[in-house]
Amino acid sequence: MTRRAELRFDIRKDRDSTREIFETTTGRRVLISGEPCRDLPLDSAYTLAAYMSSASMVFVVEILH
């Protein structure tokens, strides 16, 4: 698994107990299929961010401007 310091995507608190995924280099929220990755439970957000950041994966993502 990718070490935490090398993640291109990470999570941050969104509302109350939910998280959103953002790009670490820009701080912008990630969109998948035009929808922001937000309102996620902590375990789901962490898993998805780690999956997206893994070295074996290549993603084309849209970032909010």
Side-chain angles (χ1 to χ4, degrees), residues 16-33:
D16 299 325
S17 62
T18 61
R19 303 295 189 268
E20 69 179 4
I21 299 175
F22 69 99
E23 186 177 21
T24 58
T25 57
T26 64
R28 294 179 179 164
R29 188 182 301 159
V30 172
L31 299 176
I32 296 179
S33 297

Side-chain angles (χ1 to χ4, degrees), residues 12-20 39-42:
R12 61 183 167 209
K13 192 170 183 175
D14 189 14
R15 297 182 217 149
D16 299 325
S17 62
T18 61
R19 303 295 189 268
E20 69 179 4
D39 297 328
L40 301 168
L42 178 60

Side-chain angles (χ1 to χ4, degrees), residues 50-61:
Y51 179 72
M52 292 172 63
S53 295
S54 70
S56 62
M57 300 302 301
V58 176
F59 281 90
V60 177
V61 296

